[in-house]
Amino acid sequence: MAAAPASSASAAGNREAFRVAVTNTLERRLFYVPSFKIYGGVAGLYDYGPPGCAVKANVLAFWRQHFVLEEGMLEVDCPCVTPEVVLKASGHVDKFTDLMVKDEKTGTCYRADHLLKDFCKDKLEKDNTLPPEKTAEFNHVLAVLDDLSAEQLGAKIKEYGIVAPDTKNPLSDPYPFNLMFQTSIGPSGLSPGYMRPETAQGIFVNFKDLYYYNGNKLPFAAAQIGQAFRNEISPRQGLLRVREFTLAEIEHFVDPEDKSHPKFRDVSDLEFLMFPREQQLTGKSAMKLNIGQAVSEGTVNNETLGYFIGRVYLFLTQLGIDKDRLRFRQHLPNEMAHYAADCWDAEIECSFGWIECVGIADRSAYDLRAHSDKSGVALEAHEKFAEPREVEKLVITPSKKELGLAFKGNQRMVLEALEAMSETEALNMKSALESKGEVEFKVCTLGKDVTIKKSMVSINMEKKKEHQRKFTPSVIEPSFGIGRIIYCLFEHCFYQRPGKAEDEQLNVFGFPPLVAPIKCTVFPLVKIEKFEVVAKKISKALTAAGISHIIDMTGNTIGKRYARTDEIGVPLAITVDNTTSVTVRDRDSKDQIRVEVDEVASVVKEVTDGQSTWADIMWRYPAHTASAAEEEEASET
């Protein structure tokens, strides 16, 4: 009997210690803090402080550049408050739920799948006596967790004897809980609404106007950045599971008969970790795949979906996400919505495990059809033919007179139901009417079956000449959880290095200049007027160049000032130790160069804009070696 590796518990402990170091630094340096902290806070709500706001703004600016500008997308900004009818049409009112269990004595609520996940992970990480079959079983449960029904979840919770974490009381059976925040629009209370759980519906309901704005041409994409709200059952894991968060979503509208992409070749040679459903269901691991090959072999459904998977990979890795801790996981069959053609999640590994940060889905034509049916407004596109085409079309012609005589006040609802029949339904009705003379027909709006006679409707296939084809576009949707991406970025960029004192560790965020909250700092080496004058001159030049920076004239030792700015991820530090030239220090290597005062702003801009690397700059400028006194001072913290 083989036991689980003894290192699994220590690995979990190391992850916990690392997470504590990261989150303590983030909160102490005001990247983010719990909202309403002086009143005890509210679970799942956080405030971004100055450096956190700057990182978030930089991530969103790069998202706009990488997607909206690069792809010529149409950006919109829609309200957070959404009428109930919109979310009824989209399915959120009826189906936007998580499975919940309650402590049977205290009434405390928990997410059922989280309790099962925590139990399995705890066993795998801490129980060194697990037999191989149990290890395999727990790993399988984790792999198919999102696929389990309420009954299956409840059975597993009972089988494993899982109880309420806080009280050890028994738990109720799982049941669905709707995650939307309900509200009322206007003072009367007669117009129900919800805080939107996603930004996408605002784009779908505006499709007709956006299509017209785009010159009635497909494909095109619309994008939106905004707040979304989900009334999480038991928020936890900091920024990873919150009740209000920022989404950046793209809806790429495409002809369902042609999902090729003209720029697919730009990403087709990329190779990265992918986790197809076959690998998951057989207990195998993610593997490196070429995205071009994955599309050609049908692992990824189509070129447009594959193109966006590739673009998402480039976006995340350029932000600073470690490519070896990024994978694209395909949804399992029962995890996917019935209407979806294919779905992949960009998952990033952090101390909490693999976290879904971006969803990339081919949602087919479901959303536009749902809103067309509910609103009565055709959300369609059209393709004009160079020459008219002869096609055979189904023509349903209800007899208003006969329907009026038979159904009186219900005539309109029966007529609309007949006209809305699919081709299969209509042809089956035609066959039944010809053989029997009448047929039972369900009218959903009446909630009952009615008898349709042959005289009430004419159903024929007729040949017609068409000058254009009308169709409902498919939608490819990449959806980005910005808070989750930022938290994983924090972890991936965080490291510690030895300080001067024994066992002392200094915290560093190694952000790429692209996302760093502050691009550089300016320090007079000592607090004397001539150095302060030069520092102010450099600060003015940096401001004119659009470079965010801090000027610190506090008189603290240079070592303390370096350590404080390393801890918030500032890439470069300018030390004023001369009136004609200054030193520029790189955060990660701690190497320094000497640059003329009049050149320093342009050098910093080169590095922070990504035009040159620090290595490029090192070739062009003389290295600066700190004096013994500076070395001693720079190592102080």
Side-chain angles (χ1 to χ4, degrees), residues 125-178:
E125 290 174 354
K126 297 178 181 176
D127 189 345
N128 295 330
T129 64
L130 275 183
E133 57 271 20
K134 271 294 178 187
T135 300
E137 178 186 332
F138 290 143
N139 278 320
H140 178 71
V141 169
L142 290 173
V144 300
L145 190 62
D146 291 333
D147 216 16
L148 300 180
S149 66
E151 292 74 21
Q152 291 169 321
L153 262 177
K156 284 292 178 191
I157 286 171
K158 284 193 172 82
E159 179 187 342
Y160 295 151
I162 297 172
V163 293
D166 304 317
T167 62
K168 310 306 178 191
N169 292 329
L171 296 165
S172 69
D173 290 332
Y175 63 95
F177 170 75
N178 194 291

Short mmCIF file of all heavy atoms in Angstrom, two decimals, residues 125-178:
data_model
loop_
_atom_site.label_atom_id
_atom_site.label_comp_id
_atom_site.label_asym_id
_atom_site.label_seq_id
_atom_site.Cartn_x
_atom_site.Cartn_y
_atom_site.Cartn_z
N GLU A 125 -3.82 16.50 0.81
CA GLU A 125 -2.63 17.24 1.23
C GLU A 125 -2.12 16.82 2.60
O GLU A 125 -0.91 16.88 2.86
CB GLU A 125 -2.94 18.74 1.26
CG GLU A 125 -3.12 19.34 -0.14
CD GLU A 125 -3.56 20.78 -0.11
OE1 GLU A 125 -3.84 21.30 1.00
OE2 GLU A 125 -3.65 21.41 -1.18
N LYS A 126 -3.01 16.34 3.48
CA LYS A 126 -2.60 16.14 4.88
C LYS A 126 -2.66 14.69 5.36
O LYS A 126 -2.06 14.37 6.39
CB LYS A 126 -3.47 17.01 5.80
CG LYS A 126 -3.30 18.51 5.53
CD LYS A 126 -4.20 19.35 6.42
CE LYS A 126 -4.02 20.83 6.11
NZ LYS A 126 -4.95 21.68 6.89
N ASP A 127 -3.37 13.82 4.64
CA ASP A 127 -3.49 12.43 5.09
C ASP A 127 -2.46 11.57 4.37
O ASP A 127 -2.64 11.19 3.21
CB ASP A 127 -4.92 11.92 4.82
CG ASP A 127 -5.17 10.56 5.48
OD1 ASP A 127 -4.18 9.91 5.87
OD2 ASP A 127 -6.34 10.14 5.58
N ASN A 128 -1.36 11.25 5.06
CA ASN A 128 -0.29 10.47 4.45
C ASN A 128 -0.58 8.97 4.40
O ASN A 128 0.24 8.19 3.91
CB ASN A 128 1.02 10.70 5.21
CG ASN A 128 1.49 12.14 5.08
OD1 ASN A 128 1.23 12.78 4.08
ND2 ASN A 128 2.18 12.64 6.10
N THR A 129 -1.74 8.56 4.94
CA THR A 129 -2.07 7.13 4.96
C THR A 129 -3.10 6.75 3.90
O THR A 129 -3.60 5.63 3.90
CB THR A 129 -2.60 6.74 6.35
OG1 THR A 129 -3.84 7.44 6.59
CG2 THR A 129 -1.61 7.09 7.45
N LEU A 130 -3.43 7.66 3.02
CA LEU A 130 -4.46 7.37 2.01
C LEU A 130 -4.01 6.24 1.08
O LEU A 130 -2.92 6.30 0.52
CB LEU A 130 -4.73 8.61 1.16
CG LEU A 130 -5.72 9.66 1.65
CD1 LEU A 130 -5.87 10.76 0.61
CD2 LEU A 130 -7.08 9.06 1.96
N PRO A 131 -4.85 5.23 0.90
CA PRO A 131 -4.52 4.20 -0.10
C PRO A 131 -4.66 4.76 -1.50
O PRO A 131 -5.38 5.74 -1.71
CB PRO A 131 -5.55 3.10 0.18
CG PRO A 131 -6.68 3.78 0.87
CD PRO A 131 -6.09 4.94 1.63
N PRO A 132 -4.01 4.14 -2.50
CA PRO A 132 -4.04 4.66 -3.87
C PRO A 132 -5.46 4.83 -4.44
O PRO A 132 -5.75 5.79 -5.14
CB PRO A 132 -3.26 3.62 -4.67
CG PRO A 132 -2.40 2.93 -3.68
CD PRO A 132 -3.15 2.95 -2.38
N GLU A 133 -6.35 3.87 -4.08
CA GLU A 133 -7.71 3.96 -4.64
C GLU A 133 -8.46 5.18 -4.10
O GLU A 133 -9.25 5.82 -4.83
CB GLU A 133 -8.51 2.67 -4.40
CG GLU A 133 -8.66 2.25 -2.93
CD GLU A 133 -7.53 1.36 -2.44
OE1 GLU A 133 -6.45 1.35 -3.08
OE2 GLU A 133 -7.73 0.67 -1.43
N LYS A 134 -8.22 5.53 -2.82
CA LYS A 134 -8.87 6.72 -2.26
C LYS A 134 -8.27 8.00 -2.85
O LYS A 134 -8.97 8.97 -3.12
CB LYS A 134 -8.73 6.74 -0.73
CG LYS A 134 -9.83 6.02 -0.01
CD LYS A 134 -11.17 6.73 -0.20
CE LYS A 134 -12.30 5.99 0.48
NZ LYS A 134 -13.63 6.60 0.14
N THR A 135 -6.96 8.00 -3.05
CA THR A 135 -6.30 9.15 -3.70
C THR A 135 -6.90 9.38 -5.08
O THR A 135 -7.23 10.51 -5.45
CB THR A 135 -4.79 8.90 -3.81
OG1 THR A 135 -4.25 8.73 -2.50
CG2 THR A 135 -4.09 10.07 -4.50
N ALA A 136 -7.06 8.29 -5.83
CA ALA A 136 -7.64 8.39 -7.17
C ALA A 136 -9.08 8.87 -7.11
O ALA A 136 -9.52 9.69 -7.93
CB ALA A 136 -7.56 7.04 -7.87
N GLU A 137 -9.83 8.39 -6.11
CA GLU A 137 -11.24 8.78 -5.96
C GLU A 137 -11.37 10.28 -5.67
O GLU A 137 -12.16 10.98 -6.30
CB GLU A 137 -11.89 7.98 -4.83
CG GLU A 137 -13.35 8.36 -4.58
CD GLU A 137 -13.93 7.65 -3.37
OE1 GLU A 137 -13.47 6.53 -3.04
OE2 GLU A 137 -14.84 8.23 -2.73
N PHE A 138 -10.57 10.78 -4.72
CA PHE A 138 -10.65 12.21 -4.37
C PHE A 138 -10.21 13.09 -5.55
O PHE A 138 -10.81 14.14 -5.80
CB PHE A 138 -9.80 12.50 -3.14
CG PHE A 138 -10.36 11.92 -1.86
CD1 PHE A 138 -9.51 11.40 -0.89
CD2 PHE A 138 -11.73 11.88 -1.63
CE1 PHE A 138 -10.02 10.87 0.29
CE2 PHE A 138 -12.25 11.35 -0.46
CZ PHE A 138 -11.39 10.84 0.51
N ASN A 139 -9.19 12.65 -6.28
CA ASN A 139 -8.75 13.41 -7.46
C ASN A 139 -9.84 13.43 -8.53
O ASN A 139 -10.06 14.44 -9.20
CB ASN A 139 -7.46 12.83 -8.04
CG ASN A 139 -6.22 13.30 -7.30
OD1 ASN A 139 -6.14 14.48 -6.93
ND2 ASN A 139 -5.27 12.42 -7.08
N HIS A 140 -10.56 12.30 -8.67
CA HIS A 140 -11.64 12.24 -9.65
C HIS A 140 -12.79 13.17 -9.25
O HIS A 140 -13.36 13.87 -10.09
CB HIS A 140 -12.15 10.80 -9.78
CG HIS A 140 -13.31 10.67 -10.74
ND1 HIS A 140 -13.16 10.79 -12.11
CD2 HIS A 140 -14.63 10.46 -10.52
CE1 HIS A 140 -14.35 10.65 -12.70
NE2 HIS A 140 -15.26 10.46 -11.76
N VAL A 141 -13.13 13.19 -7.95
CA VAL A 141 -14.20 14.08 -7.47
C VAL A 141 -13.83 15.54 -7.77
O VAL A 141 -14.67 16.31 -8.25
CB VAL A 141 -14.44 13.88 -5.95
CG1 VAL A 141 -15.35 14.99 -5.41
CG2 VAL A 141 -15.08 12.53 -5.70
N LEU A 142 -12.58 15.92 -7.52
CA LEU A 142 -12.14 17.29 -7.81
C LEU A 142 -12.23 17.60 -9.29
O LEU A 142 -12.59 18.71 -9.70
CB LEU A 142 -10.71 17.51 -7.32
CG LEU A 142 -10.52 17.53 -5.80
CD1 LEU A 142 -9.04 17.58 -5.43
CD2 LEU A 142 -11.25 18.72 -5.17
N ALA A 143 -11.92 16.61 -10.14
CA ALA A 143 -11.93 16.82 -11.59
C ALA A 143 -13.34 17.04 -12.13
O ALA A 143 -13.54 17.80 -13.07
CB ALA A 143 -11.27 15.64 -12.31
N VAL A 144 -14.34 16.35 -11.53
CA VAL A 144 -15.71 16.43 -12.07
C VAL A 144 -16.64 17.21 -11.14
O VAL A 144 -17.86 17.15 -11.30
CB VAL A 144 -16.29 15.01 -12.32
CG1 VAL A 144 -15.43 14.25 -13.31
CG2 VAL A 144 -16.42 14.21 -11.01
N LEU A 145 -16.07 17.96 -10.21
CA LEU A 145 -16.88 18.65 -9.19
C LEU A 145 -17.97 19.53 -9.81
O LEU A 145 -19.12 19.53 -9.36
CB LEU A 145 -15.96 19.51 -8.32
CG LEU A 145 -16.57 20.11 -7.05
CD1 LEU A 145 -17.05 19.03 -6.11
CD2 LEU A 145 -15.54 20.98 -6.33
N ASP A 146 -17.61 20.29 -10.86
CA ASP A 146 -18.58 21.19 -11.48
C ASP A 146 -19.67 20.43 -12.23
O ASP A 146 -20.67 21.02 -12.65
CB ASP A 146 -17.87 22.14 -12.45
CG ASP A 146 -16.98 23.13 -11.72
OD1 ASP A 146 -17.27 23.43 -10.55
OD2 ASP A 146 -15.99 23.59 -12.32
N ASP A 147 -19.46 19.14 -12.40
CA ASP A 147 -20.38 18.31 -13.17
C ASP A 147 -21.43 17.63 -12.30
O ASP A 147 -22.35 16.99 -12.81
CB ASP A 147 -19.55 17.24 -13.90
CG ASP A 147 -20.08 16.91 -15.27
OD1 ASP A 147 -20.89 17.69 -15.79
OD2 ASP A 147 -19.69 15.86 -15.82
N LEU A 148 -21.30 17.74 -10.96
CA LEU A 148 -22.17 16.99 -10.06
C LEU A 148 -23.52 17.68 -9.88
O LEU A 148 -23.60 18.89 -9.72
CB LEU A 148 -21.50 16.81 -8.69
CG LEU A 148 -20.16 16.06 -8.66
CD1 LEU A 148 -19.63 15.99 -7.23
CD2 LEU A 148 -20.32 14.66 -9.25
N SER A 149 -24.59 16.88 -9.88
CA SER A 149 -25.94 17.40 -9.62
C SER A 149 -26.13 17.61 -8.13
O SER A 149 -25.29 17.21 -7.30
CB SER A 149 -26.98 16.39 -10.13
OG SER A 149 -26.90 15.20 -9.35
N ALA A 150 -27.26 18.22 -7.76
CA ALA A 150 -27.57 18.44 -6.34
C ALA A 150 -27.62 17.11 -5.59
O ALA A 150 -27.11 16.99 -4.47
CB ALA A 150 -28.90 19.19 -6.21
N GLU A 151 -28.22 16.11 -6.22
CA GLU A 151 -28.35 14.80 -5.57
C GLU A 151 -26.98 14.15 -5.38
O GLU A 151 -26.68 13.57 -4.32
CB GLU A 151 -29.24 13.88 -6.41
CG GLU A 151 -30.71 14.28 -6.47
CD GLU A 151 -30.95 15.52 -7.36
OE1 GLU A 151 -30.09 15.81 -8.24
OE2 GLU A 151 -31.97 16.19 -7.16
N GLN A 152 -26.11 14.26 -6.42
CA GLN A 152 -24.78 13.66 -6.32
C GLN A 152 -23.92 14.38 -5.27
O GLN A 152 -23.20 13.73 -4.51
CB GLN A 152 -24.09 13.70 -7.69
CG GLN A 152 -24.71 12.77 -8.71
CD GLN A 152 -24.19 13.03 -10.13
OE1 GLN A 152 -24.00 14.19 -10.53
NE2 GLN A 152 -23.98 11.98 -10.89
N LEU A 153 -24.03 15.71 -5.22
CA LEU A 153 -23.29 16.47 -4.21
C LEU A 153 -23.74 16.07 -2.81
O LEU A 153 -22.93 15.84 -1.91
CB LEU A 153 -23.52 17.96 -4.41
CG LEU A 153 -22.47 18.77 -5.17
CD1 LEU A 153 -22.94 20.22 -5.32
CD2 LEU A 153 -21.13 18.74 -4.46
N GLY A 154 -25.07 16.00 -2.62
CA GLY A 154 -25.62 15.63 -1.31
C GLY A 154 -25.17 14.24 -0.89
O GLY A 154 -24.84 14.01 0.28
N ALA A 155 -25.14 13.32 -1.86
CA ALA A 155 -24.72 11.94 -1.55
C ALA A 155 -23.26 11.89 -1.12
O ALA A 155 -22.90 11.18 -0.17
CB ALA A 155 -24.95 11.05 -2.78
N LYS A 156 -22.40 12.66 -1.79
CA LYS A 156 -20.98 12.68 -1.44
C LYS A 156 -20.76 13.31 -0.06
O LYS A 156 -19.94 12.84 0.73
CB LYS A 156 -20.18 13.45 -2.49
CG LYS A 156 -19.93 12.68 -3.78
CD LYS A 156 -18.98 11.51 -3.55
CE LYS A 156 -18.75 10.71 -4.80
NZ LYS A 156 -18.04 9.44 -4.53
N ILE A 157 -21.51 14.37 0.23
CA ILE A 157 -21.39 15.03 1.54
C ILE A 157 -21.76 14.06 2.66
O ILE A 157 -21.10 13.98 3.70
CB ILE A 157 -22.26 16.30 1.58
CG1 ILE A 157 -21.58 17.41 0.73
CG2 ILE A 157 -22.49 16.79 3.00
CD1 ILE A 157 -22.44 18.64 0.51
N LYS A 158 -22.82 13.26 2.43
CA LYS A 158 -23.24 12.27 3.43
C LYS A 158 -22.23 11.13 3.52
O LYS A 158 -21.86 10.68 4.61
CB LYS A 158 -24.63 11.73 3.07
CG LYS A 158 -25.77 12.69 3.39
CD LYS A 158 -27.11 11.97 3.30
CE LYS A 158 -28.24 12.85 3.81
NZ LYS A 158 -28.72 13.81 2.83
N GLU A 159 -21.76 10.66 2.35
CA GLU A 159 -20.82 9.53 2.31
C GLU A 159 -19.54 9.86 3.08
O GLU A 159 -19.00 9.02 3.80
CB GLU A 159 -20.49 9.20 0.85
CG GLU A 159 -19.48 8.06 0.69
CD GLU A 159 -19.05 7.87 -0.77
OE1 GLU A 159 -19.75 8.37 -1.68
OE2 GLU A 159 -17.99 7.24 -0.98
N TYR A 160 -19.04 11.10 2.92
CA TYR A 160 -17.78 11.48 3.55
C TYR A 160 -17.98 12.06 4.96
O TYR A 160 -17.01 12.42 5.62
CB TYR A 160 -17.05 12.51 2.69
CG TYR A 160 -16.59 12.00 1.35
CD1 TYR A 160 -16.47 12.85 0.26
CD2 TYR A 160 -16.28 10.65 1.16
CE1 TYR A 160 -16.04 12.39 -0.99
CE2 TYR A 160 -15.86 10.17 -0.08
CZ TYR A 160 -15.74 11.04 -1.15
OH TYR A 160 -15.33 10.58 -2.37
N GLY A 161 -19.23 12.15 5.41
CA GLY A 161 -19.49 12.65 6.75
C GLY A 161 -19.11 14.12 6.93
O GLY A 161 -18.66 14.53 8.00
N ILE A 162 -19.30 14.92 5.88
CA ILE A 162 -18.93 16.33 5.94
C ILE A 162 -19.97 17.08 6.76
O ILE A 162 -21.18 16.93 6.56
CB ILE A 162 -18.83 16.93 4.51
CG1 ILE A 162 -17.71 16.22 3.74
CG2 ILE A 162 -18.57 18.43 4.56
CD1 ILE A 162 -17.64 16.60 2.26
N VAL A 163 -19.50 17.91 7.70
CA VAL A 163 -20.39 18.67 8.59
C VAL A 163 -20.05 20.15 8.48
O VAL A 163 -19.11 20.55 7.80
CB VAL A 163 -20.25 18.18 10.05
CG1 VAL A 163 -20.77 16.77 10.20
CG2 VAL A 163 -18.79 18.28 10.51
N ALA A 164 -20.83 21.00 9.16
CA ALA A 164 -20.58 22.44 9.13
C ALA A 164 -19.19 22.73 9.70
O ALA A 164 -18.86 22.26 10.80
CB ALA A 164 -21.65 23.17 9.95
N PRO A 165 -18.35 23.47 8.98
CA PRO A 165 -16.96 23.69 9.41
C PRO A 165 -16.83 24.36 10.77
O PRO A 165 -15.92 24.06 11.54
CB PRO A 165 -16.37 24.59 8.31
CG PRO A 165 -17.30 24.50 7.16
CD PRO A 165 -18.64 24.14 7.70
N ASP A 166 -17.74 25.29 11.09
CA ASP A 166 -17.60 26.09 12.31
C ASP A 166 -18.16 25.40 13.55
O ASP A 166 -17.63 25.56 14.65
CB ASP A 166 -18.30 27.45 12.13
CG ASP A 166 -17.76 28.19 10.92
OD1 ASP A 166 -16.53 28.20 10.74
OD2 ASP A 166 -18.57 28.75 10.16
N THR A 167 -19.25 24.62 13.38
CA THR A 167 -19.95 24.06 14.55
C THR A 167 -19.94 22.54 14.61
O THR A 167 -20.30 21.96 15.62
CB THR A 167 -21.42 24.52 14.53
OG1 THR A 167 -22.05 23.98 13.33
CG2 THR A 167 -21.54 26.04 14.52
N LYS A 168 -19.57 21.90 13.47
CA LYS A 168 -19.62 20.43 13.32
C LYS A 168 -21.05 19.89 13.38
O LYS A 168 -21.27 18.70 13.59
CB LYS A 168 -18.76 19.72 14.40
CG LYS A 168 -17.34 20.27 14.52
CD LYS A 168 -16.60 20.27 13.22
CE LYS A 168 -15.20 20.85 13.33
NZ LYS A 168 -14.57 21.09 12.02
N ASN A 169 -22.03 20.79 13.16
CA ASN A 169 -23.43 20.35 13.11
C ASN A 169 -23.73 19.71 11.76
O ASN A 169 -23.04 19.97 10.77
CB ASN A 169 -24.37 21.55 13.31
CG ASN A 169 -24.29 22.11 14.71
OD1 ASN A 169 -24.02 21.39 15.65
ND2 ASN A 169 -24.52 23.41 14.85
N PRO A 170 -24.79 18.87 11.70
CA PRO A 170 -25.18 18.28 10.42
C PRO A 170 -25.67 19.36 9.44
O PRO A 170 -26.10 20.44 9.84
CB PRO A 170 -26.31 17.31 10.79
CG PRO A 170 -26.79 17.76 12.13
CD PRO A 170 -25.63 18.40 12.82
N LEU A 171 -25.60 19.01 8.14
CA LEU A 171 -25.96 19.94 7.07
C LEU A 171 -27.23 19.49 6.36
O LEU A 171 -27.54 18.29 6.29
CB LEU A 171 -24.83 20.03 6.04
CG LEU A 171 -23.50 20.60 6.54
CD1 LEU A 171 -22.39 20.29 5.55
CD2 LEU A 171 -23.62 22.10 6.77
N SER A 172 -27.96 20.45 5.81
CA SER A 172 -29.15 20.15 5.02
C SER A 172 -28.73 19.55 3.67
O SER A 172 -27.56 19.57 3.31
CB SER A 172 -29.95 21.42 4.77
OG SER A 172 -29.22 22.29 3.88
N ASP A 173 -29.71 19.05 2.93
CA ASP A 173 -29.44 18.64 1.54
C ASP A 173 -29.18 19.89 0.71
O ASP A 173 -29.72 20.97 1.00
CB ASP A 173 -30.66 17.90 0.97
CG ASP A 173 -30.85 16.52 1.61
OD1 ASP A 173 -29.83 15.93 2.05
OD2 ASP A 173 -32.00 16.06 1.68
N PRO A 174 -28.36 19.79 -0.34
CA PRO A 174 -28.10 20.95 -1.20
C PRO A 174 -29.36 21.41 -1.92
O PRO A 174 -30.19 20.60 -2.34
CB PRO A 174 -27.06 20.43 -2.20
CG PRO A 174 -26.46 19.22 -1.57
CD PRO A 174 -27.56 18.62 -0.75
N TYR A 175 -29.49 22.72 -2.07
CA TYR A 175 -30.61 23.28 -2.85
C TYR A 175 -30.13 24.56 -3.53
O TYR A 175 -29.18 25.22 -3.08
CB TYR A 175 -31.84 23.54 -1.97
CG TYR A 175 -31.63 24.56 -0.88
CD1 TYR A 175 -31.98 25.91 -1.06
CD2 TYR A 175 -31.11 24.18 0.36
CE1 TYR A 175 -31.80 26.84 -0.04
CE2 TYR A 175 -30.92 25.11 1.37
CZ TYR A 175 -31.27 26.44 1.17
OH TYR A 175 -31.08 27.36 2.17
N PRO A 176 -30.78 24.96 -4.66
CA PRO A 176 -30.29 26.11 -5.43
C PRO A 176 -30.59 27.45 -4.77
O PRO A 176 -31.65 27.63 -4.17
CB PRO A 176 -31.02 25.98 -6.77
CG PRO A 176 -32.23 25.17 -6.48
CD PRO A 176 -31.89 24.27 -5.33
N PHE A 177 -29.62 28.38 -4.89
CA PHE A 177 -29.78 29.74 -4.37
C PHE A 177 -29.43 30.70 -5.50
O PHE A 177 -28.34 30.61 -6.08
CB PHE A 177 -28.84 29.95 -3.18
CG PHE A 177 -28.74 31.39 -2.72
CD1 PHE A 177 -29.76 31.99 -2.01
CD2 PHE A 177 -27.62 32.15 -3.03
CE1 PHE A 177 -29.67 33.31 -1.59
CE2 PHE A 177 -27.51 33.48 -2.61
CZ PHE A 177 -28.54 34.05 -1.90
N ASN A 178 -30.36 31.62 -5.84
CA ASN A 178 -30.09 32.58 -6.92
C ASN A 178 -29.11 33.65 -6.44
O ASN A 178 -29.29 34.25 -5.38
CB ASN A 178 -31.39 33.24 -7.41
CG ASN A 178 -31.17 33.96 -8.73
OD1 ASN A 178 -30.48 34.97 -8.80
ND2 ASN A 178 -31.75 33.43 -9.80
#
